[in-house]
Amino acid sequence: MKTYRVAAIPGDGIGIEVVEAGLLVLEALAERDGGFALDIERFDWGSERYRRSGALMPADGVERLRGFDAILFGAVGAPDLPDHLTLWGLRLAICQPLDQFANVRPTRILPGITSPLRGVSPGDLDWVIVRENSEGEYAGQGGRSHRGLPEEVATEVAIFTRAGVERIMRYAFQLAQSRPRKLLTVVTKSNAQRYGLVLWDEIAQEVAADFPDVTWDKMLVDAMTVRMTLKPGSLDTIVATNLHADILSDLAAALAGSIGIAPTANINPTGRAPSMFEPIHGSAFDITGKGIANPVGTFWSAAMMLDHLGEQGAAALLMQAIERVTADPALHTPDLGGTARTEDVTRAAIEAIRGRND
């Protein structure tokens, strides 16, 4: 039996609640499958740790994570701490040194969930957004000078390297090639960003030559928001910069019914470091402790983790359980317009896993 070491980092807010729900579902899957086991180690890294010690994670945190097969992450952020401090102190402090350069965000309309788009059918919205996850607008380059003075200045430098752009383009083309439609849209803003995103466009063109079976097009990011809402069926696989994909994937989640169901995989495709899986909804302190957080985004993220680990059968079983849960309106949490609680959804998912007939 294969045993996978998984680091669980619940983080803040509802992250703590949904990660615990996700671990219960994963344990049920491991018991049901019988072919693998999970060795879970929990880490109390987050805002509470920062208040105690002045750091969201220990100095050797990344090195401690390297020995794991995967990471399940909840959320980071608290109302009393600056968002840039918590993001750079935990999530990005893990993603960047572990070189998780491909952020993958699937989006589709799950059974029982209604899209806010008028007249759209589930088959019209089935996307995977690939987000460049290591440089671009979130490279962390820049600074501030003359603080507090009238001439105070702040710079935020977007970094685009040939190596970084080429590897995310190649990843996106390969992903598009693996999907039935073999269709890729490259998002850009090269009309205004005439250096970094012109390089982005040029490398997309170069990489495309290696994938003649993939149909691809290019779309300015502002026009992309219109296309996503008016012509969702024209899209399949999407690749965009760190900032653009961050924004577009939230729009995608909303169009699919709720940000509470949306998953993320932060992938190191080389396998030389663990990849990290998380829901995209954030810490949501407005509903923390109420027991109404939607755990489906975490369940879907866990399915992506299992697939990444090579447990495709367990991943498919979990997705079937997710779809059985969402198909029942009585199991919809408030973000989906229902009254179900986190524990109701979790219990139903576990029952679906245990009760499935081969």
Side-chain angles (χ1 to χ4, degrees):
M1 178 186 293
K2 175 71 173 178
T3 298
Y4 300 102
R5 295 191 67 215
V6 176
I9 308 174
D12 298 327
I14 65 168
I16 297 169
E17 302 167 39
V18 296
V19 165
E20 192 57 39
L23 292 176
L24 291 172
V25 166
L26 284 169
E27 289 170 6
L29 273 167
E31 292 172 2
R32 169 67 172 78
D33 185 274
F36 70 93
L38 299 171
D39 178 10
I40 307 292
E41 184 172 347
R42 292 170 170 81
F43 294 87
D44 66 342
W45 302 348
S47 297
E48 187 57 42
R49 187 186 190 282
Y50 178 85
R51 297 185 190 98
R52 296 194 312 266
S53 66
L56 284 95
M57 61 186 284
D60 66 345
V62 169
E63 293 309 309
R64 291 169 63 182
L65 292 175
R66 289 187 187 276
F68 287 85
D69 296 300
I71 305 163
L72 184 64
F73 187 83
V76 64
D80 61 323
L81 297 176
D83 286 341
H84 69 275
L85 185 154
T86 52
L87 180 64
W88 282 95
L90 188 56
R91 186 185 174 277
L92 292 181
I94 294 171
C95 288
Q96 292 196 351
L98 294 181
D99 205 21
Q100 298 166 347
F101 68 81
N103 180 280
V104 182
R105 299 188 171 190
T107 303
R108 62 184 175 92
I109 302 173
L110 295 174
I113 296 178
T114 302
S115 168
L117 290 177
R118 183 179 57 205
V120 69
S121 65
D124 293 332
L125 203 164
D126 185 354
W127 308 330
V128 179
I129 297 177
V130 178
R131 170 185 175 185
E132 199 292 312
N133 206 35
S134 65
E135 49 180 45
E137 304 88 349
Y138 295 175
Q141 299 296 308
R144 291 174 65 179
S145 301
H146 315 302
R147 288 176 180 260
L149 299 176
E151 60 270 26
E152 182 173 4
V153 60
T155 60
E156 199 78 49
V157 182
I159 303 295
F160 296 93
T161 67
R162 173 165 287 277
V165 176
E166 182 174 352
R167 67 183 184 175
I168 199 64
M169 285 297 172
R170 196 162 296 279
Y171 185 94
F173 270 94
Q174 289 171 343
L175 181 59
Q177 188 180 53
S178 72
R179 287 169 60 83
R181 296 177 66 187
K182 300 185 188 302
L183 176 64
L184 177 67
T185 298
V186 177
V187 178
T188 186
K189 191 59 179 171
S190 52
N191 58 339
Q193 293 176 271
R194 57 181 180 163
Y195 301 115
L197 289 186
V198 170
L199 176 66
W200 174 270
D201 292 353
E202 291 172 354
I203 293 174
Q205 183 78 48
E206 294 169 9
V207 173
D210 293 334
F211 298 88
D213 57 335
V214 175
T215 301
W216 76 286
D217 61 358
K218 186 174 67 174
M219 178 73 46
L220 294 177
V221 64
D222 41 350
M224 186 65 173
T225 62
V226 177
R227 184 173 170 185
M228 289 170 69
T229 52
L230 297 184
K231 296 182 178 179
S234 71
L235 297 164
D236 187 79
T237 310
I238 300 161
V239 62
T241 70
N242 217 331
L243 175 62
H244 292 163
D246 190 7
I247 297 167
L248 293 177
S249 58
D250 278 13
L251 172 60
L255 296 178
S258 170
I259 200 170
I261 63 174
T264 303
N266 301 286
I267 302 293
N268 179 323
T270 70
R272 290 192 289 266
S275 297
M276 183 165 72
F277 303 84
E278 59 175 321
I280 74 171
H281 52 56
S283 52
F285 268 81
D286 56 324
I287 61 169
T288 296
K290 296 181 179 179
I292 58 173
N294 192 339
V296 168
T298 303
F299 297 166
W300 196 346
S301 300
M304 296 181 75
M305 181 181 78
L306 290 168
D307 186 70
H308 179 74
L309 291 173
E311 299 294 339
Q312 283 80 19
L317 176 55
L318 179 49
M319 285 307 303
Q320 291 169 15
I322 289 169
E323 292 183 355
R324 285 184 59 182
V325 166
T326 62
D328 184 352
L331 295 172
H332 287 187
T333 44
D335 59 299
L336 293 172
T339 59
R341 300 179 62 78
T342 310
E343 61 182 351
D344 300 328
V345 181
T346 304
R347 182 169 55 251
I350 291 172
E351 290 172 354
I353 291 165
R354 291 174 174 167
R356 177 176 176 265
N357 294 319
D358 290 325

PDB file of all heavy atoms in Angstrom, residues 13 23 28 47 80 84 111 127 129 154 180 194-195 202 214 221 233 241 253 266 280 293 307 331:
ATOM      1  N   GLY A  13      -9.483  31.763   9.370  1.00  0.00           N
ATOM      2  CA  GLY A  13     -10.905  31.868   9.081  1.00  0.00           C
ATOM      3  C   GLY A  13     -11.538  30.543   8.740  1.00  0.00           C
ATOM      4  O   GLY A  13     -11.305  29.525   9.390  1.00  0.00           O
ATOM      5  N   LEU A  23     -10.159  16.823   5.092  1.00  0.00           N
ATOM      6  CA  LEU A  23      -9.399  15.698   5.637  1.00  0.00           C
ATOM      7  C   LEU A  23     -10.323  14.530   5.991  1.00  0.00           C
ATOM      8  O   LEU A  23      -9.968  13.357   5.795  1.00  0.00           O
ATOM      9  CB  LEU A  23      -8.607  16.145   6.866  1.00  0.00           C
ATOM     10  CG  LEU A  23      -7.470  17.129   6.588  1.00  0.00           C
ATOM     11  CD1 LEU A  23      -6.821  17.576   7.889  1.00  0.00           C
ATOM     12  CD2 LEU A  23      -6.424  16.533   5.651  1.00  0.00           C
ATOM     13  N   ALA A  28     -12.049   9.045   4.406  1.00  0.00           N
ATOM     14  CA  ALA A  28     -13.082   8.120   3.935  1.00  0.00           C
ATOM     15  C   ALA A  28     -12.690   7.519   2.592  1.00  0.00           C
ATOM     16  O   ALA A  28     -12.922   6.327   2.340  1.00  0.00           O
ATOM     17  CB  ALA A  28     -14.429   8.840   3.832  1.00  0.00           C
ATOM     18  N   SER A  47      -2.356  33.562  10.819  1.00  0.00           N
ATOM     19  CA  SER A  47      -2.398  34.861  11.497  1.00  0.00           C
ATOM     20  C   SER A  47      -2.285  34.743  13.006  1.00  0.00           C
ATOM     21  O   SER A  47      -1.676  35.602  13.665  1.00  0.00           O
ATOM     22  CB  SER A  47      -3.683  35.598  11.119  1.00  0.00           C
ATOM     23  OG  SER A  47      -3.705  35.881   9.736  1.00  0.00           O
ATOM     24  N   ASP A  80      -7.515  42.131  11.049  1.00  0.00           N
ATOM     25  CA  ASP A  80      -6.651  43.043  11.782  1.00  0.00           C
ATOM     26  C   ASP A  80      -5.213  43.069  11.267  1.00  0.00           C
ATOM     27  O   ASP A  80      -4.367  43.747  11.837  1.00  0.00           O
ATOM     28  CB  ASP A  80      -6.645  42.687  13.274  1.00  0.00           C
ATOM     29  CG  ASP A  80      -6.122  41.276  13.526  1.00  0.00           C
ATOM     30  OD1 ASP A  80      -6.408  40.383  12.700  1.00  0.00           O
ATOM     31  OD2 ASP A  80      -5.439  41.076  14.544  1.00  0.00           O
ATOM     32  N   HIS A  84      -1.309  42.273   2.414  1.00  0.00           N
ATOM     33  CA  HIS A  84      -0.032  41.970   1.770  1.00  0.00           C
ATOM     34  C   HIS A  84       0.906  41.250   2.737  1.00  0.00           C
ATOM     35  O   HIS A  84       1.725  40.428   2.329  1.00  0.00           O
ATOM     36  CB  HIS A  84       0.625  43.246   1.225  1.00  0.00           C
ATOM     37  CG  HIS A  84       1.123  44.186   2.279  1.00  0.00           C
ATOM     38  ND1 HIS A  84       0.311  45.126   2.890  1.00  0.00           N
ATOM     39  CD2 HIS A  84       2.353  44.332   2.839  1.00  0.00           C
ATOM     40  CE1 HIS A  84       1.026  45.808   3.774  1.00  0.00           C
ATOM     41  NE2 HIS A  84       2.271  45.344   3.761  1.00  0.00           N
ATOM     42  N   PRO A 111     -23.600  19.735 -11.287  1.00  0.00           N
ATOM     43  CA  PRO A 111     -25.027  19.386 -11.238  1.00  0.00           C
ATOM     44  C   PRO A 111     -25.743  20.076 -10.079  1.00  0.00           C
ATOM     45  O   PRO A 111     -25.200  20.177  -8.976  1.00  0.00           O
ATOM     46  CB  PRO A 111     -25.004  17.860 -11.033  1.00  0.00           C
ATOM     47  CG  PRO A 111     -23.702  17.422 -11.619  1.00  0.00           C
ATOM     48  CD  PRO A 111     -22.733  18.536 -11.323  1.00  0.00           C
ATOM     49  N   TRP A 127     -14.155  25.092 -18.314  1.00  0.00           N
ATOM     50  CA  TRP A 127     -12.867  25.721 -18.596  1.00  0.00           C
ATOM     51  C   TRP A 127     -11.794  25.230 -17.631  1.00  0.00           C
ATOM     52  O   TRP A 127     -12.090  24.753 -16.545  1.00  0.00           O
ATOM     53  CB  TRP A 127     -12.946  27.250 -18.433  1.00  0.00           C
ATOM     54  CG  TRP A 127     -14.045  27.939 -19.167  1.00  0.00           C
ATOM     55  CD1 TRP A 127     -14.622  27.569 -20.342  1.00  0.00           C
ATOM     56  CD2 TRP A 127     -14.701  29.156 -18.768  1.00  0.00           C
ATOM     57  NE1 TRP A 127     -15.595  28.474 -20.711  1.00  0.00           N
ATOM     58  CE2 TRP A 127     -15.661  29.451 -19.764  1.00  0.00           C
ATOM     59  CE3 TRP A 127     -14.567  30.012 -17.687  1.00  0.00           C
ATOM     60  CZ2 TRP A 127     -16.475  30.582 -19.686  1.00  0.00           C
ATOM     61  CZ3 TRP A 127     -15.385  31.135 -17.619  1.00  0.00           C
ATOM     62  CH2 TRP A 127     -16.318  31.417 -18.605  1.00  0.00           C
ATOM     63  N   ILE A 129      -8.386  27.353 -16.301  1.00  0.00           N
ATOM     64  CA  ILE A 129      -7.551  28.550 -16.380  1.00  0.00           C
ATOM     65  C   ILE A 129      -6.174  28.215 -15.816  1.00  0.00           C
ATOM     66  O   ILE A 129      -6.053  27.720 -14.691  1.00  0.00           O
ATOM     67  CB  ILE A 129      -8.180  29.720 -15.601  1.00  0.00           C
ATOM     68  CG1 ILE A 129      -9.529  30.098 -16.233  1.00  0.00           C
ATOM     69  CG2 ILE A 129      -7.238  30.924 -15.576  1.00  0.00           C
ATOM     70  CD1 ILE A 129     -10.273  31.192 -15.493  1.00  0.00           C
ATOM     71  N   ALA A 154       5.890  54.897  -5.166  1.00  0.00           N
ATOM     72  CA  ALA A 154       5.887  53.443  -5.030  1.00  0.00           C
ATOM     73  C   ALA A 154       5.975  52.830  -6.415  1.00  0.00           C
ATOM     74  O   ALA A 154       5.312  53.291  -7.346  1.00  0.00           O
ATOM     75  CB  ALA A 154       4.615  52.964  -4.334  1.00  0.00           C
ATOM     76  N   PRO A 180     -10.411  17.285 -24.771  1.00  0.00           N
ATOM     77  CA  PRO A 180     -11.072  16.896 -26.030  1.00  0.00           C
ATOM     78  C   PRO A 180     -11.092  17.977 -27.106  1.00  0.00           C
ATOM     79  O   PRO A 180     -10.907  17.676 -28.291  1.00  0.00           O
ATOM     80  CB  PRO A 180     -12.486  16.525 -25.572  1.00  0.00           C
ATOM     81  CG  PRO A 180     -12.335  16.106 -24.151  1.00  0.00           C
ATOM     82  CD  PRO A 180     -11.249  16.991 -23.592  1.00  0.00           C
ATOM     83  N   ARG A 194       3.770  47.120 -23.473  1.00  0.00           N
ATOM     84  CA  ARG A 194       4.451  46.888 -24.749  1.00  0.00           C
ATOM     85  C   ARG A 194       5.798  46.192 -24.637  1.00  0.00           C
ATOM     86  O   ARG A 194       6.465  46.000 -25.654  1.00  0.00           O
ATOM     87  CB  ARG A 194       4.624  48.205 -25.489  1.00  0.00           C
ATOM     88  CG  ARG A 194       5.397  49.267 -24.705  1.00  0.00           C
ATOM     89  CD  ARG A 194       5.509  50.549 -25.506  1.00  0.00           C
ATOM     90  NE  ARG A 194       6.231  51.577 -24.769  1.00  0.00           N
ATOM     91  CZ  ARG A 194       6.745  52.654 -25.353  1.00  0.00           C
ATOM     92  NH1 ARG A 194       6.616  52.824 -26.642  1.00  0.00           N
ATOM     93  NH2 ARG A 194       7.373  53.553 -24.615  1.00  0.00           N
ATOM     94  N   TYR A 195       6.188  45.804 -23.438  1.00  0.00           N
ATOM     95  CA  TYR A 195       7.448  45.076 -23.292  1.00  0.00           C
ATOM     96  C   TYR A 195       7.188  43.652 -22.777  1.00  0.00           C
ATOM     97  O   TYR A 195       7.366  42.674 -23.500  1.00  0.00           O
ATOM     98  CB  TYR A 195       8.401  45.828 -22.355  1.00  0.00           C
ATOM     99  CG  TYR A 195       8.720  47.220 -22.862  1.00  0.00           C
ATOM    100  CD1 TYR A 195       8.328  48.359 -22.153  1.00  0.00           C
ATOM    101  CD2 TYR A 195       9.395  47.407 -24.067  1.00  0.00           C
ATOM    102  CE1 TYR A 195       8.601  49.624 -22.623  1.00  0.00           C
ATOM    103  CE2 TYR A 195       9.679  48.682 -24.550  1.00  0.00           C
ATOM    104  CZ  TYR A 195       9.279  49.785 -23.818  1.00  0.00           C
ATOM    105  OH  TYR A 195       9.550  51.042 -24.301  1.00  0.00           O
ATOM    106  N   GLU A 202       4.937  36.853 -28.125  1.00  0.00           N
ATOM    107  CA  GLU A 202       5.921  36.261 -29.029  1.00  0.00           C
ATOM    108  C   GLU A 202       6.244  34.818 -28.642  1.00  0.00           C
ATOM    109  O   GLU A 202       6.345  33.937 -29.501  1.00  0.00           O
ATOM    110  CB  GLU A 202       7.197  37.107 -29.035  1.00  0.00           C
ATOM    111  CG  GLU A 202       7.027  38.467 -29.693  1.00  0.00           C
ATOM    112  CD  GLU A 202       8.239  39.371 -29.517  1.00  0.00           C
ATOM    113  OE1 GLU A 202       9.180  38.978 -28.789  1.00  0.00           O
ATOM    114  OE2 GLU A 202       8.250  40.475 -30.105  1.00  0.00           O
ATOM    115  N   VAL A 214      -3.240  21.820 -31.630  1.00  0.00           N
ATOM    116  CA  VAL A 214      -3.970  22.709 -30.718  1.00  0.00           C
ATOM    117  C   VAL A 214      -4.369  23.980 -31.456  1.00  0.00           C
ATOM    118  O   VAL A 214      -3.520  24.673 -32.034  1.00  0.00           O
ATOM    119  CB  VAL A 214      -3.121  23.069 -29.482  1.00  0.00           C
ATOM    120  CG1 VAL A 214      -3.842  24.099 -28.607  1.00  0.00           C
ATOM    121  CG2 VAL A 214      -2.813  21.816 -28.667  1.00  0.00           C
ATOM    122  N   VAL A 221      -7.231  41.164 -22.228  1.00  0.00           N
ATOM    123  CA  VAL A 221      -7.869  40.759 -20.988  1.00  0.00           C
ATOM    124  C   VAL A 221      -9.211  41.453 -20.774  1.00  0.00           C
ATOM    125  O   VAL A 221     -10.159  40.841 -20.242  1.00  0.00           O
ATOM    126  CB  VAL A 221      -6.924  40.994 -19.783  1.00  0.00           C
ATOM    127  CG1 VAL A 221      -6.614  42.484 -19.592  1.00  0.00           C
ATOM    128  CG2 VAL A 221      -7.493  40.379 -18.514  1.00  0.00           C
ATOM    129  N   GLY A 233     -19.138  29.307 -24.334  1.00  0.00           N
ATOM    130  CA  GLY A 233     -18.889  28.077 -25.068  1.00  0.00           C
ATOM    131  C   GLY A 233     -17.732  28.162 -26.044  1.00  0.00           C
ATOM    132  O   GLY A 233     -17.280  27.131 -26.556  1.00  0.00           O
ATOM    133  N   THR A 241      -1.471  35.803 -17.297  1.00  0.00           N
ATOM    134  CA  THR A 241      -0.449  36.202 -16.337  1.00  0.00           C
ATOM    135  C   THR A 241      -0.973  36.065 -14.913  1.00  0.00           C
ATOM    136  O   THR A 241      -2.165  35.856 -14.666  1.00  0.00           O
ATOM    137  CB  THR A 241      -0.012  37.654 -16.569  1.00  0.00           C
ATOM    138  OG1 THR A 241      -1.088  38.528 -16.182  1.00  0.00           O
ATOM    139  CG2 THR A 241       0.359  37.911 -18.025  1.00  0.00           C
ATOM    140  N   ALA A 253     -15.382  31.575 -11.432  1.00  0.00           N
ATOM    141  CA  ALA A 253     -16.050  30.899 -10.322  1.00  0.00           C
ATOM    142  C   ALA A 253     -17.449  31.460 -10.091  1.00  0.00           C
ATOM    143  O   ALA A 253     -18.402  30.710  -9.853  1.00  0.00           O
ATOM    144  CB  ALA A 253     -15.207  31.025  -9.057  1.00  0.00           C
ATOM    145  N   ASN A 266      -1.651  24.471  -7.120  1.00  0.00           N
ATOM    146  CA  ASN A 266      -0.379  25.151  -7.353  1.00  0.00           C
ATOM    147  C   ASN A 266       0.653  24.067  -7.648  1.00  0.00           C
ATOM    148  O   ASN A 266       1.125  23.388  -6.738  1.00  0.00           O
ATOM    149  CB  ASN A 266       0.032  25.960  -6.119  1.00  0.00           C
ATOM    150  CG  ASN A 266      -0.997  27.009  -5.743  1.00  0.00           C
ATOM    151  OD1 ASN A 266      -1.131  28.031  -6.386  1.00  0.00           O
ATOM    152  ND2 ASN A 266      -1.754  26.730  -4.686  1.00  0.00           N
ATOM    153  N   ILE A 280     -10.251  28.571  -3.585  1.00  0.00           N
ATOM    154  CA  ILE A 280      -9.839  29.941  -3.882  1.00  0.00           C
ATOM    155  C   ILE A 280     -10.613  30.992  -3.087  1.00  0.00           C
ATOM    156  O   ILE A 280     -10.366  32.185  -3.235  1.00  0.00           O
ATOM    157  CB  ILE A 280      -9.964  30.260  -5.393  1.00  0.00           C
ATOM    158  CG1 ILE A 280     -11.424  30.441  -5.836  1.00  0.00           C
ATOM    159  CG2 ILE A 280      -9.286  29.200  -6.229  1.00  0.00           C
ATOM    160  CD1 ILE A 280     -11.555  30.962  -7.250  1.00  0.00           C
ATOM    161  N   ALA A 293     -19.693  27.484   5.921  1.00  0.00           N
ATOM    162  CA  ALA A 293     -18.755  27.574   4.805  1.00  0.00           C
ATOM    163  C   ALA A 293     -18.958  26.398   3.859  1.00  0.00           C
ATOM    164  O   ALA A 293     -19.193  25.265   4.289  1.00  0.00           O
ATOM    165  CB  ALA A 293     -17.320  27.591   5.328  1.00  0.00           C
ATOM    166  N   ASP A 307      -5.443  13.215  -7.957  1.00  0.00           N
ATOM    167  CA  ASP A 307      -5.095  12.997  -9.357  1.00  0.00           C
ATOM    168  C   ASP A 307      -3.612  13.267  -9.585  1.00  0.00           C
ATOM    169  O   ASP A 307      -2.930  12.509 -10.282  1.00  0.00           O
ATOM    170  CB  ASP A 307      -5.949  13.901 -10.249  1.00  0.00           C
ATOM    171  CG  ASP A 307      -5.738  13.627 -11.720  1.00  0.00           C
ATOM    172  OD1 ASP A 307      -6.166  12.563 -12.193  1.00  0.00           O
ATOM    173  OD2 ASP A 307      -5.127  14.478 -12.403  1.00  0.00           O
ATOM    174  N   LEU A 331     -28.601  20.259   0.089  1.00  0.00           N
ATOM    175  CA  LEU A 331     -27.218  20.283   0.541  1.00  0.00           C
ATOM    176  C   LEU A 331     -26.474  21.519   0.062  1.00  0.00           C
ATOM    177  O   LEU A 331     -25.248  21.565   0.101  1.00  0.00           O
ATOM    178  CB  LEU A 331     -26.500  19.005   0.079  1.00  0.00           C
ATOM    179  CG  LEU A 331     -27.024  17.709   0.693  1.00  0.00           C
ATOM    180  CD1 LEU A 331     -26.385  16.510   0.025  1.00  0.00           C
ATOM    181  CD2 LEU A 331     -26.767  17.687   2.202  1.00  0.00           C
TER     182      LEU A 331
END
